[in-house]
Amino acid sequence: MTRNITLIALLLGSSLHAEDAEALFVRRVWPLFQEKCLACHGNDEKKIKGDYDMRTLESATKGGESEVKALVPGKPEESPLYLASTRQHEDDWEPMPPKEADKLYAEQLAWIKDWIAGGAPWPDEAKRNAIAKANAKKWSAEDGITVKTTGALSPEWANRRYKPEALWGYQKVQKPEIETRNGENPIDALIAMRMPEGVKPASAADARTFIRRATFDLLGLPPTPEEIAAFEKAFAQDGDAATKALIDRLLESPHYGERMARHWLDVVRYADSSGFANDYERGNAWRYRDYVVRSFNEDKPYDQFIKQQIAGDEMKSNDPEMLIAVGFLRMGPWELTGMEVAKVARQRFLDDVTNSVGETFLAHSLQCARCHDHKFDPVPTHDYYSIQACFGTTQLAERPASFLKSENTAGFEESKYLETRRIEHMAVLKQLDDKMLINAEKWFAEKKLDRTVWDKAVANARKFVQGGGQMRKARSFTGVFEVARSALQKQGLPEGQYPPKLVGFTPEDFGNERVARKGLERLKWELDRYEPFAFSVYDGRTPQMVSVNQPMRMPKDRMTEGELEQTAILGGGDPFSPTKPVKPGVLSILNTIEFPDAIEGRRTMLANWIASADNPLTTRTIVNRLWLWHFGQAIAGNPNNFGSTGKKPTHPELLDFLAATLVEKKWSLKEMHRLIMTSAAYRRSSELQMADSKLSREDAEKSYAVFKPRRLMAEELRDAMLSITGELNPVMGGIPNRPEINIEVAMQPRMVMGTFASAWVPNPLPQQRHRRSLYALKIRGLRDPFMEVFNEPAPDFSCEARDVSTVTPQVFSLFNGQASYNRALALANRVMKEKATDAVGRVFELTFGRKPAADEKALCEAHWKQMEAKQAQISFAKHQPPLTVKREAVEENTGEKFSFHEKLPAYADFVPDLQPTDCDAKTRALADVCLVLLNSNEFAYLY
């Protein structure tokens, strides 16, 4: 074997002095034996394999069943212990460890070889401890340090060493002492500390660039030409004062909350549906979205924001706001169908909420410790399940919560379209019920059976149904046939004496019955949107459930009925393999706290621990996110992962300064915005002014010598276009709206369990459709292609930072897409209606916030004139929306094909956006110019 492996100053020539060999044994070999060998060769005296005991030098030297001496001091090449470990002598010695995945690395083999070559000293436990203590400081510097945690699954893991730099997130926040000059922002002093030598930072951005950057960052919308002009004037007089005034104005705008909510909802995975096979709509989830908007607008202290989302219902059980806030705990995808084991679905929620709390507030992906102690971070499986135990009594429910005065409850009249669908489904089931009664008569005739008992049962069933009776609470339709048949079943009448279920059905009947029945089931979730309920949780015993196919309500006997779960470490994460019970707890590397042994109050204790000023993970996590939201790059590069596999902070002193300052500012996020946005780093130009510098553009951005440009997010692109055209409806909050999306995607058949989900039908009126993208109905199983292609994240996993890709389909969406053309036409129409003396100049003002240069104006006017001639020769037809869409499927019971027509009642009232038929050729031609400008980098990017 080539011996070119550095053994950290332990290797001395071809052999070691005795004292060095002893140190090598204590430091490397003995821990290696414990990790790889003793499980089979010593830990359990009754289960020693191959009769080979490695607990002492004597037994390890003696060997096992082969009766061959396993260890020859000074001669590794004659020692079977070493030879078996190399896996190079399989003809003579079985490879050890036996599993290929456990084989030793070259460095580990070198340790064993050099230890044997050094005489194979084997000091007793007392001497091992003495050697370890004497070398602790030196070895820690070279190998890392041990940390104290609770409940490790093995002593090897408990004694594992970590590089100190990998533990940065757990260290106490230390606010650095900063020397500033002439009112310098402390942020800039800290950035200057790590600025590459000889690099001159870019100068400040001009007024127009800065107001556009700041307005999009805080509002997600473009500044108006009037706002730009006013700021430019104030900036020329006093740049600092104008900047502060601008930031204050933006922070007071109600649209600030919408912008920050968009960031937050990315992290928590907000959606208006449950995902998975059914993808039921979550009728009340919109109230959590609006809670987030309100919280940011109110500048709710961040520690309170944390506590309310984890334990608001425990803190104020009668406050609707608090019941809404804990909707955070249910943001992940979840369902329970009759085809799934309830315990598995329950565990899926517990795993989801445990990991979500870890990623969102602590920048820790705790799920990595679900099946085993964390492979890289000091998070034992015990801690994972201790945190999970805090949610062991947390149950899911839509809870009564009266609408707040601050909530927008407009638009509830749209429920009439759902009611139309409900009536249609009921009518189909009524027709099929009547058909079954007729088929039953035929069945009796064919069978030549006496139908007296059946007729009596039908008569009683009619009275029951006409009196408003229902078979089961979960069913929206109760048919006479089903009631009669059920009554005879209960009487014990033999099945052959009355008609079978769904008697005489054709494949079409089977299909229509399922579609109508499942349609009524799905409507329950959708209709809940207009009722005063919160998408929430409660504390109590776990109720017995088989499936969940309608909104859940909190039971009255929540504290006495059901299972009081005892959280335990699950072998392999399997809910049917519990091992050691655990109590509620926190990350033991930071501290331990005593939780009450009660059903209620666990989440409050956890929330208080997370939201403590002394928790270094919490404060660093949120200021790191804020920095990302302003600069497009986080200080610590993985905002959801402060562990050893995450990127280390590029400016650790800055991160700690911000974390400490947040607490000093009473957890005010608006104060942090002010601090960050008034820094020279944030106000810098994006233009690199170092032509002769060897510093790359990427390195200049990482060092904040220059501002990093960013492309507008998908929502910003859409909202900005609506804003400049004058179409944007600025009304805040309320039930989700349904904007137009690609018609092929909107009408595509979307299969869910047992049926079709409804087609995507946009709101009838433009002012309903043209609300901010934040308010668009977000269905997990149906993505808006425009949003998706511009990197809107899927809501199944927490998005720590949005990807920014540049791909060809973006051209098709932004340049060829119907939505983009509609906005270009609306922009042209606005300008023409304003009767601007310089139409092209006005388009530039609205789109870019500036006047065009002479060459730009000339090119655009030439293109406008050219396109006007072409447009004059084109005729357009008015768009007619579909009122039905045909669905085709294979019926499950028969395997036969069937089809039906889904009605789209909302389209009957549809008022389209401005159409080409509504405009003259001159306006349509100007729209072609507008479309080009909307596709420009100057519009789509912030500099």
Side-chain angles (χ1 to χ4, degrees), residues 18 68 82 93 112 221 231 238 244 281 333 353-354 366 381 514 562 871:
V68 175
Y82 170 70
W93 305 106
I112 297 175
L221 295 169
F231 179 69
D238 187 336
K244 291 178 182 177
E281 288 194 25
V353 73
T354 303
L366 297 176
T381 301
R514 179 180 290 272
Q871 286 289 343

Side-chain angles (χ1 to χ4, degrees), residues 269-274 280-289 309 313 320-334 349 395-401 525 528 531-538 551-553 780:
R269 307 164 298 160
Y270 175 85
D272 293 296
S273 71
S274 63
Y280 289 126
E281 288 194 25
R282 291 175 168 174
N284 319 104
W286 64 270
R287 300 184 72 183
Y288 170 77
R289 174 246 289 153
Q309 291 179 87
D313 63 310
E321 182 89 332
M322 298 300 98
L323 299 182
I324 295 167
V326 291
F328 158 77
L329 301 174
R330 295 182 60 188
M331 281 297 114
W334 187 86
F349 162 73
Q395 312 300 339
L396 317 183
E398 283 66 53
R399 298 182 60 176
W525 300 89
D528 220 37
E531 301 298 328
F533 286 91
F535 186 65
S536 192
V537 299
Y538 67 92
M552 296 176 284
R553 304 295 188 232
R780 281 189 159 94

Side-chain angles (χ1 to χ4, degrees), residues 723-767:
S723 178
I724 66 174
T725 64
E727 298 172 287
L728 183 67
N729 178 358
V731 171
M732 297 179 59
I735 57 176
N737 73 317
R738 296 181 305 283
E740 288 186 272
I741 66 173
N742 178 279
I743 189 66
E744 292 181 8
V745 174
M747 293 295 111
Q748 70 183 358
R750 185 163 69 91
M751 294 300 298
V752 289
M753 184 172 280
T755 187
F756 292 90
S758 301
W760 178 279
V761 180
N763 292 109
L765 302 179
Q767 61 265 34

Side-chain angles (χ1 to χ4, degrees), residues 591-718:
N591 56 5
T592 56
I593 56 177
E594 286 295 322
F595 278 72
D597 186 18
I599 290 177
E600 298 177 304
R602 300 180 185 187
R603 285 183 281 117
T604 299
M605 290 284 287
L606 176 65
N608 288 338
W609 174 79
I610 291 174
S612 168
D614 296 327
N615 192 320
L617 293 173
T618 306
T619 50
R620 287 191 180 111
T621 297
I622 186 57
V623 297
N624 191 52
R625 294 194 196 281
L626 285 175
W627 190 268
L628 165 71
W629 298 342
H630 280 299
F631 286 92
Q633 55 189 9
I635 299 173
N638 294 106
N640 279 1
N641 182 8
F642 281 2
S644 58
T645 59
K647 295 178 181 177
K648 306 298 182 290
T650 56
H651 295 71
E653 303 87 0
L654 174 59
L655 186 61
D656 272 19
F657 167 77
L658 294 172
T661 303
L662 173 67
V663 177
E664 292 173 0
K665 298 289 186 182
K666 299 180 180 178
W667 299 81
S668 167
L669 298 185
K670 286 189 176 182
E671 286 301 311
M672 299 306 295
H673 288 299
R674 290 186 175 95
L675 177 65
I676 292 170
M677 296 178 72
T678 54
S679 68
Y682 181 78
R683 296 169 64 181
R684 282 192 184 115
S685 168
S686 62
E687 295 182 10
L688 201 57
Q689 298 171 332
M690 300 171 289
D692 58 343
S693 173
K694 294 182 180 179
L695 197 67
S696 68
R697 172 84 205 189
E698 183 179 2
D699 288 336
E701 290 171 352
K702 285 182 178 179
S703 63
Y704 303 101
V706 66
F707 189 82
K708 180 181 180 179
R710 73 168 178 87
R711 194 183 67 205
L712 298 181
M713 292 164 53
E715 295 89 342
E716 289 175 300
L717 280 170
R718 176 181 176 272

Side-chain angles (χ1 to χ4, degrees), residues 161-173:
R161 293 182 176 274
Y162 302 87
K163 295 291 185 182
E165 60 269 23
L167 303 175
W168 65 270
Y170 309 105
Q171 305 306 314
K172 183 178 179 181
V173 171

Side-chain angles (χ1 to χ4, degrees), residues 369-445:
R370 181 170 67 93
C371 302
H372 47 70
D373 293 333
H374 202 292
K375 288 187 175 181
F376 306 106
D377 299 331
V379 180
T381 301
H382 176 277
D383 286 3
Y384 175 84
Y385 286 102
S386 290
I387 293 176
Q388 188 167 111
C390 298
F391 302 99
T393 56
T394 299
Q395 312 300 339
L396 317 183
E398 283 66 53
R399 298 182 60 176
S402 57
F403 290 118
L404 304 169
K405 290 182 179 179
S406 56
E407 287 186 293
N408 178 4
T409 55
F412 281 16
E413 66 275 5
E414 73 169 23
S415 63
K416 67 183 180 182
Y417 299 115
L418 300 182
E419 183 61 23
T420 299
R421 277 168 42 200
R422 191 190 70 82
I423 292 171
E424 289 171 355
H425 289 323
M426 294 286 280
V428 169
L429 293 175
K430 177 66 169 63
Q431 291 171 5
L432 292 174
D433 185 46
D434 291 342
K435 185 173 184 177
M436 283 189 288
L437 291 172
I438 294 172
N439 291 343
E441 294 177 2
K442 295 178 181 178
W443 182 86
F444 275 105

